Amino acid sequence: MAALIAENFRFLSLFFKSKDVMIFNGLVALGTVGSEELFSVVAFHCPCSPARNYIYGLAAIGVPALALFLIGVIWNNHTWNLVAECHKRGTKNFSAAATFLLFGSIMGRAAVAPVTWSVISLLRGEAYICALSEFVKPSSLDKFPAEYGAEILARFPCRDVPANLTRFRDEVTRRLRYESQLFGWLLIGIVAVLVFLTKCLKHCCSPLSYRQEAYWAQYRSNEDKLFRRTAEVHSRILAAKNVKHFFGFVALDKEEKELVQEFPVEGVQPSPQWNAITGVYIYRENKGFPLYSRLHKWAKGVEGNGPTPEGHELLFLAS
C-alpha cells in the first residue's frame, strides 16, 4: 500500500513538473476566481447614484485587474532579468524578434489573473449593470413613465424603485446582464484564439525539435532548483564562518554542522561572475553545441553576448 501511494505521489510530481507553467496559470486563475467571488459578496456595493455608478462599476472591474497585472509583472523573473540586462549590457544585443518574444512572455503571463478577473466580473454582471444602468434609454423601454429619467434608472441595481417600475427594472437588469455575459464569453473566445495562435507560432518558429525543447525546459527547471538550493547552503555556510570569526564560535544545529563539514566554502563569487549569469537569455549554439542558459554559457567559457561565427544566435527566448 505504501509503495502504491509513493508511486502515485511520484507520478503527480512528474506531472506537475512537466506542466509547471500550465498548472501555475491554472492556480492563478482559480485564485483570481475565488478573490472575485469574495469581493462581489463582501466589498461590492453599487452607489446607485447618477455619475457615480459608471465610475464605481468600471473601477470594480478595471482597478483590481490593473493591480493583478502589475503584480504578475513584478513576480515574473523575466522582468528583472530584463532590468538587469538593460542595466548591465543595454539592448544592443536584442533583435526585434527577441524583444517581441520577451515582452510577449512577460505580458502573457501577467495577463492571466487580470483577464480571469475581468471575465468573471463580466459573467456575473453586477459591476456592468451598476455602471451602465443609468445610460439605458427610457425610449427603449415599452411604456416607461415619462416623468422618470436617469436618476431612477441609476437606482435599478439596488432594487430601490417604486413598485410600478419593477417590471422595467427586471427588463433593464436582464438586458444589461445579457450584454455583460456576451462580452465575457467573447473575451474568453478571443483569449483562447490568441493562446492557440501563440502556441502555434512558438512551435513553428522554434529552431529546436520537440524533444530538445522538452530537454531544455527540464534543464532550466533543474538548474534553477539546484542553483537556489546550493545558493541557500552556500550563503548559510558563509554566514556561519563570518559569525564564528566575529564571536569565536557559532551555534549550529546537527544538520548545519554536517553541511559546514561536508561543503567547505573558501570565499564568494566575484561580481563579474554574477553579472555573467544574470540577465535575459536567448538560446544560442557554440560550434554546433547548445548553450542552455547563461550559467551553461559561463561554465563553457564562451565570451560575448551577440551572434558570432562560432556562436549562432537562434532567437528563441527561454520561457
Side-chain angles (χ1 to χ4, degrees), residues 15-52:
F15 176 81
F16 284 120
K17 288 178 181 179
S18 64
K19 302 180 182 298
D20 53 348
V21 174
M22 181 184 71
I23 297 299
F24 175 77
N25 289 341
L27 293 176
V28 169
L30 288 176
T32 305
V33 170
S35 300
E36 205 283 335
E37 290 291 333
L38 181 63
F39 173 81
S40 297
V41 173
V42 177
F44 183 81
H45 299 288
C46 185
C48 293
S49 174
R52 295 180 181 177

Side-chain angles (χ1 to χ4, degrees), residues 222-287:
N222 289 326
E223 181 189 81
D224 182 67
K225 291 176 183 177
L226 290 173
F227 187 91
R228 290 175 182 273
R229 192 186 309 162
T230 305
E232 195 276 334
V233 173
H234 186 280
S235 62
R236 186 185 303 183
I237 296 174
L238 181 63
K241 290 183 61 176
N242 292 334
V243 171
K244 182 177 180 180
H245 183 73
F246 183 82
F247 286 107
F249 73 96
V250 57
L252 301 175
D253 57 27
K254 181 179 179 181
E255 179 184 358
E256 290 170 335
K257 289 180 181 178
E258 293 175 354
L259 289 176
V260 171
Q261 293 175 357
E262 184 176 359
F263 304 111
V265 173
E266 301 300 332
V268 297
Q269 286 66 33
S271 293
Q273 289 187 8
W274 286 104
N275 293 336
I277 66 170
T278 303
V280 177
Y281 183 73
I282 299 172
Y283 178 84
R284 290 178 173 86
E285 292 183 357
N286 180 256
K287 298 180 180 179

Side-chain angles (χ1 to χ4, degrees), residues 64-290:
L66 176 62
L68 290 171
F69 177 78
L70 294 178
I71 292 173
V73 172
I74 292 172
W75 279 357
N76 195 322
N77 290 334
H78 283 327
T79 303
W80 307 115
N81 283 334
L82 177 62
V83 172
E85 187 74 21
C86 293
H87 177 67
K88 296 296 181 182
R89 306 176 186 90
T91 58
K92 61 181 182 297
N93 296 312
F94 283 0
S95 65
T99 304
F100 175 79
L101 286 171
L102 176 61
F103 279 100
S105 175
I106 295 174
M107 299 302 170
R109 292 190 180 185
V112 173
V115 168
T116 303
W117 178 278
S118 301
V119 166
I120 298 302
S121 297
L122 290 172
L123 292 179
R124 287 182 60 89
E126 281 85 353
Y128 188 89
I129 293 172
C130 177
L132 297 182
S133 61
E134 65 182 286
F135 296 102
V136 175
K137 294 182 179 180
S139 59
S140 65
L141 302 173
D142 186 32
K143 298 180 180 180
F144 187 81
E147 64 269 20
Y148 297 113
E151 183 176 354
I152 196 66
L153 289 170
R155 291 163 55 187
F156 277 10
C158 295
R159 302 179 180 272
D160 181 22
V161 295
N164 64 322
L165 297 181
T166 302
R167 177 174 64 87
F168 300 105
R169 182 202 67 200
D170 294 340
E171 181 179 349
V172 169
T173 301
R174 183 169 55 252
R175 182 188 302 179
L176 293 178
R177 180 169 282 111
Y178 154 76
E179 293 178 1
S180 179
Q181 291 182 350
L182 177 62
F183 289 139
W185 290 120
L186 288 175
L187 182 57
I188 291 176
I190 292 171
V191 170
V193 171
L194 288 177
V195 171
F196 172 74
L197 293 178
T198 302
K199 284 289 185 181
C200 291
L201 182 63
K202 175 184 176 182
H203 288 289
C204 289
C205 298
S206 173
L208 306 179
S209 66
Y210 173 77
R211 290 187 179 276
Q212 189 178 8
E213 188 176 337
Y215 177 85
W216 186 26
Q218 292 175 344
Y219 172 85
R220 292 197 312 270
S221 176
N222 289 326
E223 181 189 81
D224 182 67
K225 291 176 183 177
L226 290 173
F227 187 91
R228 290 175 182 273
R229 192 186 309 162
T230 305
E232 195 276 334
V233 173
H234 186 280
S235 62
R236 186 185 303 183
I237 296 174
L238 181 63
K241 290 183 61 176
N242 292 334
V243 171
K244 182 177 180 180
H245 183 73
F246 183 82
F247 286 107
F249 73 96
V250 57
L252 301 175
D253 57 27
K254 181 179 179 181
E255 179 184 358
E256 290 170 335
K257 289 180 181 178
E258 293 175 354
L259 289 176
V260 171
Q261 293 175 357
E262 184 176 359
F263 304 111
V265 173
E266 301 300 332
V268 297
Q269 286 66 33
S271 293
Q273 289 187 8
W274 286 104
N275 293 336
I277 66 170
T278 303
V280 177
Y281 183 73
I282 299 172
Y283 178 84
R284 290 178 173 86
E285 292 183 357
N286 180 256
K287 298 180 180 179
F289 291 94

